[in-house]
Amino acid sequence: MKKEVILLDHGSGGKLSNDLVSALMLPVFDNTILSRLGDSATLDVGGTRLAFSTDSYVVDPIFFPGGNIGDLAVNGTVNDIAMSGATPLYLSVGLIIEEGFSVSDLETIVQSMGRAARTAGVSIVTGDTKVVNRGAADKIFINTSGIGLIPEGIHIEGGNARPGDRIILSGTMGDHGITILNQREGLSFDAPVQSDSAPLNHMVARMLAASRNIHVLRDPTRGGVGTILNEVALQSNVGIRIVESGLPVNSSVAGLCELLGLDPLYVANEGKLIAVVASEDAERVLSVVREDPFGLDACIIGEVVSAHPGRVVLETIIGGERIIDMPTGEKLPRIC
Amino acid sequence: MKKEVILLDHGSGGKLSNDLVSALMLPVFDNTILSRLGDSATLDVGGTRLAFSTDSYVVDPIFFPGGNIGDLAVNGTVNDIAMSGATPLYLSVGLIIEEGFSVSDLETIVQSMGRAARTAGVSIVTGDTKVVNRGAADKIFINTSGIGLIPEGIHIEGGNARPGDRIILSGTMGDHGITILNQREGLSFDAPVQSDSAPLNHMVARMLAASRNIHVLRDPTRGGVGTILNEVALQSNVGIRIVESGLPVNSSVAGLCELLGLDPLYVANEGKLIAVVASEDAERVLSVVREDPFGLDACIIGEVVSAHPGRVVLETIIGGERIIDMPTGEKLPRIC
């Protein structure tokens, strides 16, 4: 660790986040489960295979078009669990609330959490509430952790991508991140953008019913599609090629990204997944994703190659090539 | 909810905390597992019985005699899981760090977490790090969630206390809470007090090996022994009688409590348990608790009675009786 103090970018999901985990956490919490670094850990408990995941939500603003910190916290952990192919079952909720926070806002948030849990089909079974002094926290932070059951025969992991596999993205990029950014810092462009926060476990169930050749599932939250593809390329030691003309982006999001100098490839999503699927099953999996209400805009955005292992390359609209790096700077304020 | 804003006492573990959970959370997150309100939830996943628990740690100061926020966060969740009779196996860690926090302090905390996990025999298998803007959080908050395996035939719950049962307390009261309080707000009395933060799972394993008649296990953290006994009396619909002369308190803690006008019965512990045990097994269980390095000062502090259901009564040293209520005020600043 070269830096002597923690920077915002240590939490951004990019290079500094990875450095922090690799240099400071992995050697201390030394175990093979953690070091796989998926969206969730895969555990064997008494002969039952479980997915276990945790996430803290510190989004500002806490209310935004398309959702609030409450449903975001439920959907986010449901999705992390679903990305191992598991059926999410149970969630915990840890609230850290600033003294003076409005009880009516808390009610709204808790009710959103309840609705989101019912939609996903999970139960919130344990919780904890801490109240800190005024000024010691920014309104409310929510941690959710969750447990899912991994069906027999399912082994989905970031290291399983194989040359020839197709890469499916379940919808448009950057909606959540741009919505949050647009609400903050007095930007508030009058654009029809809203968060894509949504549970993806029912979509994953459809996909698993359609194919046993889904190799990798990831949800491109912090760091966006570009960062997650880099992680998959590194973990699987493969190259990834994506085609710019095939990347789905809502036009309002594209417009705001251009205004703000951001690349939608690095902007966070909260209701999208990336699937790496054997080529022979790719069209079938794509078609069931499109049957899901949250997968209408799904498409195949690229493929896995044996060339340039560990690297993601974009074929640009004008026919050139551009390397899509792991982002180093704080590309966006925190968005989850 | 009568109050329009959240008060510190909503997080104190006392009456307002209970009101918040009962009025706002339970109706929304409606399910029978949550409504049991134990230290952890008891789940059936694919035929395996699991304990699942979560806790956020927001203690100030983050370093204190006897530990720091890191080992506290590991021990606390290990203990919550152990209180269902489960063997704690896996933990998640969610860090919320304030921008500008010292990397060297973070290293110290992470190393303490690693040591505490090894001592307890659990693995930290999944995690999440968020960094918030300077001033948006007070240094560092840590959420830990955990999973344990409940052995066959073990059914330990707050509602299982029966008249005639004896109540064992595994050691002195109030050490953690008084230590934190003494460090804060410039008090710093030069007293030899230190936090009792410790993992209790090995002690629980000894107890379960010695008796199958352990009815209730709770760790008296926020709200202290007095609050937890009230919860047990309500959940089991029994009366509880404890004897003042038998209550273990370190003399320095007793002295500081007197100076500060606090009752050690309501001061938090982080390495103690209360066990409600069938009378015929009580002495045997007590003797194995005393064999554990964290149970040297264990004793029987009272018994369960059929009189005054839902109420905890203290027999005072001078031969009188005093009702030990669920605390209503913020008896202590947050301590966990």
Side-chain angles (χ1 to χ4, degrees):
Chain A
M1 302 291 309
K2 276 183 209 148
K3 305 285 177 185
E4 286 168 10
V5 298
I6 294 293
L7 309 175
L8 281 176
D9 200 30
H10 281 113
S12 70
K15 235 172 201 160
L16 272 184
S17 294
N18 280 6
D19 290 353
L20 189 72
V21 170
S22 307
L24 208 145
M25 319 271 181
L26 289 186
V28 178
F29 302 152
D30 179 37
N31 65 74
T32 53
I33 302 170
L34 179 64
S35 59
R36 271 183 233 133
L37 293 178
D39 286 324
S40 67
T42 301
L43 311 175
D44 186 306
V45 182
T48 300
R49 282 174 70 224
L50 302 179
F52 180 34
S53 187
T54 194
D55 232 326
S56 297
Y57 296 82
V58 297
V59 67
D60 172 27
I62 56 176
F63 297 100
F64 46 81
N68 64 49
I69 191 171
D71 47 73
L72 187 68
V74 170
N75 290 336
T77 291
V78 162
N79 293 347
D80 281 341
I81 294 168
M83 294 308 119
S84 64
T87 307
L89 297 173
Y90 299 111
L91 294 192
S92 67
V93 173
L95 302 175
I96 298 173
I97 310 176
E98 185 184 11
E99 176 188 14
F101 188 69
S102 143
V103 168
S104 123
D105 282 352
L106 181 61
E107 278 178 335
T108 304
I109 290 166
V110 165
Q111 277 161 13
S112 294
M113 298 189 83
R115 267 193 306 274
R118 283 189 294 278
T119 303
V122 298
S123 298
I124 293 172
V125 292
T126 189
D128 170 58
T129 303
K130 291 291 178 344
V131 181
V132 299
N133 293 313
R134 207 179 284 267
D138 185 12
K139 298 184 277 295
I140 185 168
F141 300 147
I142 303 181
N143 176 283
T144 49
S145 302
I147 297 176
L149 182 62
I150 305 177
E152 197 108 7
I154 299 289
H155 294 274
I156 293 174
E157 263 189 40
N160 289 354
R162 300 281 169 271
D165 288 352
R166 297 297 188 268
I167 297 165
I168 295 172
L169 176 60
S170 67
T172 53
M173 298 190 302
D175 299 79
H176 178 74
I178 283 295
T179 301
I180 296 301
L181 190 53
N182 191 38
Q183 293 288 306
R184 288 182 61 180
E185 333 265 351
L187 279 176
S188 287
F189 289 110
D190 187 19
V193 293
Q194 68 168 34
S195 171
D196 57 341
S197 174
L200 299 173
N201 55 320
H202 302 308
M203 180 190 294
V204 170
R206 286 171 196 264
M207 296 166 72
L208 292 175
S211 167
R212 284 289 160 128
N213 293 306
I214 297 167
H215 295 158
V216 180
L217 288 172
R218 293 291 308 270
D219 64 331
T221 53
R222 276 184 294 181
V225 171
T227 302
I228 297 301
L229 290 179
N230 266 280
E231 290 183 13
V232 172
L234 286 169
Q235 287 172 22
S236 294
N237 196 32
V238 295
I240 288 178
R241 295 185 71 83
I242 56 177
V243 181
E244 189 170 22
S245 62
L247 292 172
V249 189
N250 277 323
S251 58
S252 309
V253 171
L256 283 174
C257 277
E258 224 174 283
L259 267 171
L260 298 166
L262 293 169
D263 185 338
L265 268 171
Y266 294 121
V267 181
N269 313 277
E270 290 288 348
K272 299 292 155 44
L273 62 77
I274 292 170
V276 180
V277 182
S279 61
E280 65 271 24
D281 285 6
E283 287 296 338
R284 186 162 71 246
V285 172
L286 178 64
S287 77
V288 301
V289 171
R290 283 186 175 157
E291 285 166 17
D292 189 274
F294 304 119
L296 306 177
D297 300 320
C299 53
I300 293 176
I301 61 166
E303 64 180 328
V304 178
V305 296
S306 51
H308 53 79
R311 285 214 171 269
V312 179
V313 171
L314 178 79
E315 294 175 18
T316 65
I317 290 171
I318 54 165
E321 287 193 353
R322 181 157 66 87
I323 289 172
I324 303 298
D325 262 334
M326 186 83 86
T328 44
E330 175 81 327
K331 298 256 170 191
L332 261 192
R334 61 200 158 83
I335 43 65
C336 42
Chain B
M1 302 293 309
K2 276 182 208 149
K3 306 284 177 185
E4 287 168 11
V5 299
I6 294 293
L7 309 175
L8 280 177
D9 200 31
H10 281 114
S12 70
K15 235 171 200 159
L16 273 184
S17 294
N18 281 6
D19 291 353
L20 188 73
V21 171
S22 306
L24 208 147
M25 318 269 180
L26 290 186
V28 177
F29 300 151
D30 181 35
N31 66 73
T32 53
I33 303 170
L34 180 64
S35 59
R36 273 183 228 133
L37 294 178
D39 288 323
S40 68
T42 301
L43 312 175
D44 186 306
V45 181
T48 300
R49 284 174 68 225
L50 302 179
F52 181 34
S53 187
T54 194
D55 231 327
S56 298
Y57 296 82
V58 297
V59 66
D60 173 26
I62 56 175
F63 297 100
F64 45 81
N68 65 50
I69 190 171
D71 47 72
L72 188 69
V74 170
N75 290 334
T77 291
V78 162
N79 293 347
D80 282 341
I81 293 167
M83 294 307 119
S84 64
T87 306
L89 297 173
Y90 298 112
L91 295 192
S92 67
V93 173
L95 302 175
I96 299 174
I97 309 176
E98 184 184 12
E99 178 190 12
F101 188 70
S102 143
V103 168
S104 124
D105 282 352
L106 181 61
E107 278 179 334
T108 304
I109 290 166
V110 166
Q111 278 161 12
S112 294
M113 298 189 83
R115 267 195 304 274
R118 283 190 293 278
T119 303
V122 299
S123 299
I124 293 171
V125 292
T126 189
D128 170 58
T129 303
K130 292 291 180 338
V131 181
V132 299
N133 292 315
R134 209 178 283 265
D138 184 12
K139 298 185 276 293
I140 185 168
F141 299 147
I142 303 180
N143 177 283
T144 49
S145 302
I147 297 176
L149 182 63
I150 306 177
E152 197 108 6
I154 300 289
H155 294 275
I156 293 173
E157 262 189 39
N160 289 353
R162 299 284 169 268
D165 288 351
R166 298 296 188 269
I167 298 164
I168 295 171
L169 176 60
S170 67
T172 54
M173 298 191 301
D175 299 78
H176 178 74
I178 283 296
T179 301
I180 296 302
L181 190 53
N182 191 40
Q183 294 286 307
R184 289 184 60 182
E185 333 266 350
L187 279 176
S188 286
F189 289 111
D190 186 19
V193 292
Q194 69 169 30
S195 170
D196 57 342
S197 173
L200 298 172
N201 54 321
H202 301 308
M203 181 191 293
V204 170
R206 286 171 195 264
M207 296 166 72
L208 293 175
S211 167
R212 284 289 160 127
N213 293 305
I214 296 167
H215 296 158
V216 181
L217 288 173
R218 293 293 307 271
D219 64 332
T221 53
R222 277 184 294 181
V225 170
T227 301
I228 296 302
L229 291 179
N230 266 281
E231 290 183 15
V232 172
L234 286 168
Q235 287 173 21
S236 294
N237 196 31
V238 294
I240 287 179
R241 296 184 71 83
I242 55 176
V243 180
E244 190 171 21
S245 61
L247 291 173
V249 190
N250 276 324
S251 58
S252 309
V253 171
L256 283 174
C257 278
E258 225 175 283
L259 267 171
L260 299 165
L262 292 169
D263 186 338
L265 269 171
Y266 294 122
V267 181
N269 312 276
E270 289 289 348
K272 298 293 155 44
L273 62 77
I274 292 169
V276 179
V277 182
S279 62
E280 65 270 25
D281 285 5
E283 287 296 339
R284 187 163 69 245
V285 172
L286 177 63
S287 75
V288 300
V289 171
R290 283 185 175 157
E291 286 165 17
D292 190 273
F294 304 118
L296 305 177
D297 299 319
C299 52
I300 293 176
I301 62 167
E303 65 181 327
V304 178
V305 296
S306 50
H308 53 79
R311 283 211 172 271
V312 179
V313 172
L314 177 79
E315 295 176 17
T316 64
I317 289 171
I318 56 166
E321 287 193 352
R322 180 157 68 86
I323 288 172
I324 303 299
D325 261 335
M326 187 83 85
T328 44
E330 174 81 327
K331 298 257 171 190
L332 261 193
R334 62 200 157 84
I335 43 64
C336 42

